[in-house]
Amino acid sequence: TEEQDGGGLGLGPYIHLVYALSKDFALSGLRVGVAYTENEEILVPMQKLNDLCQISSQTQLLVERMLSANVTVTGGGGGDDNDNNNNKFVDAYLTSNRHNIQTRCDKLQSCLNNVDIPYLPADSGLFVWMDFRQFLPSLPDSITEETESLPSKEQRERGLYLKLMKEYGLLFTPGMSMRNERPGFFRCVFTAASEEEFELGLERIRKFVDEERST
């Protein structure tokens, strides 16, 4: 990208970049991130705010060492041993992490396919958006989805949410708590569990669906 006369990436005043270590590195507790903007009306207040919200020196040192560290990758490389000694930790970690995330995501989506639960295919991120509307409590005959009130939508979705949690041990994020307009959609964060817990969760999904459809 051509740089503007003032330097920078030349993105202009309306494009801003925001990144944090929370997702890629599971380090939300460090509260470390990056914001990039060429808009002076945004940049100057952020610089002023930074005086009150600076990252500690110890945290900066920890992050700097982590991002610049080298790591030795052993086994299965098939290349020169000397090359293995020069791998950046960041590259090795992200490659392994993305593989693990993709593997787990594929397992969850395969489970949803097998039990015929619609979902939005995930191409990135740590969760899958699932459609559980078929399991919502029924509406009265006098009310349709188009005429249903917001309190009614929230009540029906919360009823399903509590049933999943209390009766089946499944904790999903209700869609309406994230401003979804229709009840019955849930977000499943498939990375927030050990391998044993994740497999148990898949079993519980299958059990829930089987029991709901048999009644």
Side-chain angles (χ1 to χ4, degrees), residues 118-170:
Y119 62 90
L120 183 65
D123 58 8
S124 60
L126 310 177
F127 60 85
V128 170
W129 191 246
M130 309 179 300
D131 182 355
F132 273 56
R133 286 179 294 174
Q134 60 187 290
F135 305 115
L136 286 170
S138 300
L139 283 169
D141 294 337
S142 59
I143 300 177
T144 65
E145 291 186 1
E146 288 72 24
T147 61
E148 184 180 13
S149 65
L150 179 59
S152 174
K153 293 178 180 179
E154 292 175 339
Q155 183 178 12
R156 289 202 301 142
E157 183 174 87
R158 180 163 179 78
L160 178 55
Y161 164 77
L162 292 175
K163 183 173 187 177
L164 287 164
M165 180 175 63
K166 292 183 177 182
E167 298 183 22
Y168 294 91
L170 292 167

Side-chain angles (χ1 to χ4, degrees), residues 1-186:
T1 305
E2 292 185 5
E3 294 187 356
Q4 295 178 327
D5 294 339
L9 300 177
L11 300 180
Y14 302 115
I15 297 177
H16 320 286
L17 306 179
V18 180
Y19 176 77
L21 302 182
S22 303
K23 297 298 187 290
D24 283 335
F25 295 91
L27 291 175
S28 58
L30 293 185
R31 295 292 189 264
V32 176
V34 177
Y36 178 89
T37 180
E38 295 170 1
N39 187 324
E40 289 293 326
E41 295 182 1
I42 296 177
L43 181 61
V44 173
M46 289 184 66
Q47 290 174 331
K48 299 290 185 181
L49 183 63
N50 187 54
D51 292 338
L52 303 175
C53 305
Q54 290 186 1
I55 302 169
S56 71
S57 299
Q58 294 90 338
T59 302
Q60 292 184 49
L61 180 60
L62 172 66
V63 171
E64 187 275 333
R65 287 179 174 175
M66 179 188 74
L67 296 179
S68 60
N70 291 325
V71 63
T72 300
V73 179
T74 59
D80 192 328
D81 290 339
N82 293 329
D83 292 337
N84 289 338
N85 293 329
N86 295 323
N87 283 298
K88 289 291 186 181
F89 162 77
V90 171
D91 296 334
Y93 168 78
L94 291 179
T95 298
S96 175
N97 194 42
R98 287 167 183 161
H99 171 76
N100 293 338
I101 290 173
Q102 185 65 62
T103 298
R104 186 167 284 196
C105 181
D106 290 344
K107 285 185 179 181
L108 174 58
Q109 293 185 153
S110 176
C111 175
L112 296 175
N113 286 330
N114 291 337
V115 296
D116 198 24
I117 296 293
Y119 62 90
L120 183 65
D123 58 8
S124 60
L126 310 177
F127 60 85
V128 170
W129 191 246
M130 309 179 300
D131 182 355
F132 273 56
R133 286 179 294 174
Q134 60 187 290
F135 305 115
L136 286 170
S138 300
L139 283 169
D141 294 337
S142 59
I143 300 177
T144 65
E145 291 186 1
E146 288 72 24
T147 61
E148 184 180 13
S149 65
L150 179 59
S152 174
K153 293 178 180 179
E154 292 175 339
Q155 183 178 12
R156 289 202 301 142
E157 183 174 87
R158 180 163 179 78
L160 178 55
Y161 164 77
L162 292 175
K163 183 173 187 177
L164 287 164
M165 180 175 63
K166 292 183 177 182
E167 298 183 22
Y168 294 91
L170 292 167
L171 182 59
F172 301 139
T173 305
M176 296 199 71
S177 70
M178 305 181 69
R179 302 297 185 268
N180 194 53
E181 296 180 356
R182 296 182 177 182
F185 290 86
F186 291 85

Side-chain angles (χ1 to χ4, degrees), residues 167-168 205-215:
E167 298 183 22
Y168 294 91
I205 290 175
R206 288 188 282 265
K207 179 181 178 182
F208 165 75
V209 173
D210 289 343
E211 293 185 356
E212 283 294 299
R213 288 179 178 161
S214 64
T215 57

